[in-house]
Structure formats: structure tokens, C-alpha cells
Amino acid sequence: MAFNIGLYIRVSTEEQALRMEGSLESQKHRLSGYVDIKNMQQQNWGVVVDEYIDDGFSAKDTNRPALQKLIKDLKKGRINTVLVTDLSRLSRSIRDFCVLIDFFKETKTQFLSLKEQFDTTTAAGEMMLFNMINLAQFERRQISERVTLNFHSRAMRGLRNGGSTILGYKVNPTNKSTLVANE
């Protein structure tokens, strides 16, 4: 049976999405290469039906246009396999991940991740999968904490954290982290 594959590709920031030959292209290349290799190993292993690309969306929740389209295509039976480069591309929330995995089971969807090669048909494989998503959620929260603490520290030192320049001020040409009165 050939797999009808949906490649799910995601980056968190618009900056990453705009980078030519950056992460989006890298993910697409790795996923397509994996399918090519599998087809060389086993004739008619699978065909890429569509690419679902969320550029500039966090995996903190499932409110992502391409992910929602992928879910609709799974319900329609258009695809039966989801392929990602690593688990954190799909989700960084344990709750959302569990909902997605249950949905995959209901729709008899194969879920493959290049980085983490788990056999989710065994209890040990499924446990490892959930441990990895737990680490992804931890990483997301830890990054958020560090960014918040850094912004607070910068503000306490009188430095700006970006955004629009306040009316009556301009960016200091000698120190871009501060503002000076606009005479």
C-alpha cells in the first residue's frame, strides 16, 4: 500500500520564513529526500500529495492555517501519512499533541518524524514519543521565560526592546538601544 503523504513544515518567526534557503527549504528538502530514499528501498512506498507550510507560526497551539488544512485533508482521506522533520514542528504543547495523536489514530494516519524514529505501536515507543513532546513544551516555555527576563532587564537599564519610536524621540545614532529627544 502506497502512502499518500502530507509534508508538514513550520517555522516560528517571519524572519525564519523570509530567509532564502533557510529552514523552510531545508525541511522540505530533507522530507522530500526521505520519501525518495524510501521509494528506492521499497517500490511505490509513497507519494507526496501536498505540502502544508506554516511560515511564521508558533507550535504553542493548533491555530495554524496549514495545520488546519492538513487536518481537513486527513478527514477527507486525501492523505493518510503525515511526515515532519521533528516532533517540535508539529506541536510544542502536550495537550495539543495528545489530541493530534488521538486524531491520527482515529483516522488511521501514519505519523513519521525524521529526527525521532519511534515505533508508536509499542508501549515503550509511545512513551518515548510523549517524553519528547514534553521536552519540546519545556523548551518553548523556557525560551519564553528567558526572553521575558531579558526584556525586563533591558527596560530596567533604560534600553529599548524594539517597537515603534515614541513621538518626540528618535533612535540614538551612537547607541541604537536608546532614544534621544527629537529636537
Side-chain angles (χ1 to χ4, degrees), residues 54-174:
D54 276 320
D55 51 349
F57 288 88
S58 170
K60 67 181 180 185
D61 58 38
T62 59
N63 297 325
R64 295 172 258 154
L67 180 62
Q68 292 304 313
K69 183 177 185 296
L70 178 137
I71 289 168
K72 286 178 186 169
D73 285 351
L74 285 169
K75 287 178 181 175
K76 292 178 190 172
R78 185 167 180 251
I79 59 172
N80 61 14
T81 304
V82 175
L83 182 60
V84 297
T85 54
D86 67 82
L87 292 175
S88 67
R89 299 302 88 206
L90 185 65
S91 180
R92 287 186 182 260
S93 160
I94 294 169
R95 183 179 55 83
D96 290 341
F97 185 76
C98 290
V99 169
L100 285 168
I101 291 297
D102 285 345
F103 174 71
F104 291 165
K105 287 177 184 177
E106 288 171 20
T107 57
K108 296 179 177 38
T109 299
Q110 295 286 326
F111 173 66
L112 302 169
S113 169
L114 299 188
K115 186 177 177 184
E116 304 88 4
Q117 296 284 314
F118 298 125
D119 180 359
T120 57
T121 62
T122 67
E126 192 170 272
M127 179 200 67
M128 291 304 296
L129 181 72
F130 285 106
N131 281 341
M132 288 303 295
I133 199 62
N134 192 17
L135 290 171
Q137 178 174 291
F138 169 73
E139 181 183 24
R140 180 181 62 82
R141 287 183 174 175
Q142 198 171 38
I143 289 168
S144 177
E145 286 174 3
R146 282 194 304 262
V147 168
T148 300
L149 289 171
N150 186 44
F151 278 5
H152 179 74
S153 175
R154 289 177 55 82
M156 294 304 292
R157 293 180 307 187
L159 303 175
R160 62 190 292 265
N161 285 312
S164 300
T165 306
I166 301 167
L167 183 63
Y169 290 86
K170 65 181 179 180
V171 175
N172 184 342
T174 59

Side-chain angles (χ1 to χ4, degrees), residues 8-21:
Y8 183 73
I9 300 167
R10 182 193 64 77
V11 292
S12 301
T13 65
E14 288 182 32
E15 180 183 322
Q16 290 171 314
L18 294 174
R19 200 175 310 146
M20 288 297 289
E21 295 303 318

